[in-house]
Amino acid sequence: MMKMKFSALVVVMFVMNYNVCAQKKIPVTSDSVPFNPIIRDKFTADPAALVHNDTVYLYTGRDEAPKGQARYVMNEWLCYSSTDMLNWREHPSPLNVKDFSWAKADAWASQVIHRNGKFYWYVAVEHKTIGGKAIGIAVSDKPTGPFTDALGKAIVTNDMTKATGISWDDIDPSVIIDNDGQAYLFWGNTKCYYAKLKENMIELDGPIQVVEGLEKFTEAPWIHKRKDWYYLSYAYQFPEKIAYAMSKNINGPWQYKGILNEVAGNSNTNHQAIIEFKGKWYFIYHNGVLADHGGFHRSVCIDRLYYNKDGTMKRIVMTSEGLLKK
């Protein structure tokens, strides 16, 4: 009798503890390691990162194709956080393609940015009714979400961009808020587009323009600023390397500066995020070292980024030690 009462008590305590954890949305445990690739229990791709309140928030897509299938299957985005860039906590998935009623597939590359107490998540998806890829925006009061559709429709659709005839040129959004408060959205494949954003962050504020001066631009633009320089890094050729250009003005002219990162092993794609955290710069990317042949299961890695005295960036040295490298 006592044994039965004890068992019942254990069950009740387990249920209560589970409910408390669910209510608090405690991050789930992930196989995080302080070397490359940094996440081992899932395949993560297309990293973007946000520094907020002494914490780095890492946002990735998730490669879910069955083993051996040479295609990308991506339905949700993932979120991790770290206060030291070495140990990462996984949070429940804060956003899924299904959260956009107008989208039908492909949780592709994305970026989150903070403004006026809210977090805006710009994502690339396949549009349900307008042919081709499109860019949507989700919003949350917290960097870990959950996020909801901020606009109820895409901010950019394929019928809005005419510089190329392909249907997948509206992908890989990157956002920056300049020192004067003006926000800009960059994106593209084959052609790199950009446009101003209104302060509400969910409307374009002017025409869509094409960035000139980017040699062999493929996709994955990432815009950041350091001192007086703007840096526009991007995927170059295919299989992809990362190259970059610099400018003193966000509207250009842009001067091509060369290769920043080589082809990342066993991955045709190469997608980067560049951030400063506690006085140090970091290059976040993915490779395919944990994947089967073909590289359709990618994994996020981090290495240090260094600048030369003239402001140019030193070529990235990809390492297995990652940030443990002395």
Side-chain angles (χ1 to χ4, degrees):
M1 187 71 172
M2 288 295 294
K3 185 176 181 181
M4 291 179 64
K5 288 183 178 180
F6 178 75
S7 299
L9 179 62
V10 170
V11 170
V12 171
M13 290 178 66
F14 173 80
V15 172
M16 290 176 62
N17 184 61
Y18 176 84
N19 288 336
V20 169
C21 290
Q23 290 172 6
K24 291 184 178 180
K25 293 185 177 178
I26 295 174
V28 298
T29 301
S30 72
D31 186 9
S32 166
V33 293
F35 47 84
N36 288 328
I38 63 169
I39 306 297
R40 301 273 172 144
D41 65 334
K42 294 180 178 69
F43 290 113
T44 53
D46 302 330
L50 169 71
V51 178
H52 181 72
N53 289 344
D54 294 324
T55 300
V56 178
Y57 295 91
L58 172 67
Y59 303 92
T60 79
R62 181 183 180 186
D63 285 332
E64 301 179 72
K67 186 175 181 179
Q69 291 195 11
R71 62 192 182 103
Y72 294 116
V73 177
M74 306 180 76
N75 299 304
E76 65 180 359
W77 292 272
L78 304 177
C79 176
Y80 302 83
S81 64
S82 175
T83 56
D84 60 7
M85 297 291 288
L86 294 173
N87 301 287
W88 295 90
R89 300 182 72 185
E90 182 181 4
H91 301 267
S93 172
L95 190 62
N96 191 292
V97 170
K98 294 179 181 178
D99 294 321
F100 299 97
S101 62
W102 48 268
K104 68 177 183 180
D106 297 340
W108 283 14
S110 66
Q111 186 181 347
V112 176
I113 196 164
H114 175 255
R115 185 164 205 172
N116 296 333
K118 292 187 178 297
F119 298 85
Y120 296 91
W121 199 337
Y122 297 80
V123 302
V125 295
E126 180 77 13
H127 203 283
K128 186 180 292 184
T129 59
I130 301 173
K133 292 294 186 286
I135 295 174
I137 310 171
V139 65
S140 176
D141 294 326
K142 299 184 297 183
T144 55
F147 284 76
T148 58
D149 190 350
L151 193 56
K153 61 180 182 180
I155 188 173
V156 176
T157 53
N158 188 245
D159 56 354
M160 296 168 60
T161 50
K162 303 297 184 181
T164 178
I166 63 175
S167 64
W168 59 92
D169 55 334
D170 298 299
I171 63 171
D172 298 355
S174 181
V175 187
I176 188 173
I177 300 175
D178 210 348
N179 295 345
D180 62 1
Q182 178 62 60
Y184 296 85
L185 173 66
F186 286 74
W187 74 97
N189 180 288
T190 306
K191 294 291 184 180
C192 183
Y193 301 106
Y194 79 109
K196 290 182 179 180
L197 289 167
K198 292 183 179 180
E199 189 173 351
N200 63 17
M201 302 300 285
I202 61 173
E203 295 179 89
L204 298 183
D205 190 15
I208 295 173
Q209 303 181 70
V210 176
V211 179
E212 304 292 349
L214 305 182
E215 287 191 19
K216 300 179 181 178
F217 173 85
T218 303
E219 58 186 0
W222 180 275
I223 181 78
H224 78 278
K225 189 177 184 182
R226 177 180 177 267
K227 297 182 178 178
D228 295 330
W229 286 105
Y230 296 90
Y231 298 81
L232 185 51
S233 51
Y234 59 93
Y236 171 103
Q237 294 183 316
F238 195 84
E240 295 172 351
K241 304 176 182 180
I242 296 297
Y244 77 104
M246 295 171 60
S247 177
K248 289 284 189 177
N249 190 309
I250 200 166
N251 296 294
W254 292 92
Q255 185 177 0
Y256 175 75
K257 292 296 182 178
I259 301 298
L260 181 61
N261 190 39
E262 293 291 343
V263 173
N266 193 31
S267 176
N268 288 325
T269 64
N270 201 332
H271 196 106
Q272 78 294 355
I274 295 174
I275 61 168
E276 181 184 19
F277 182 60
K278 296 184 178 180
K280 297 179 180 179
W281 287 86
Y282 297 90
F283 186 84
I284 310 172
Y285 60 103
H286 65 230
N287 66 20
V289 300
L290 301 182
D292 50 353
H293 182 70
F296 291 92
H297 295 98
R298 298 159 294 180
S299 300
V300 168
C301 302
I302 305 176
D303 279 296
R304 287 290 310 278
L305 171 67
Y306 300 95
Y307 294 84
N308 296 306
K309 290 183 179 179
D310 62 358
T312 55
M313 293 187 285
K314 294 185 178 181
R315 189 172 291 219
I316 296 297
V317 177
M318 292 183 287
T319 67
S320 57
E321 301 97 327
L323 300 184
L324 292 180
K325 187 176 186 296
K326 301 299 183 182

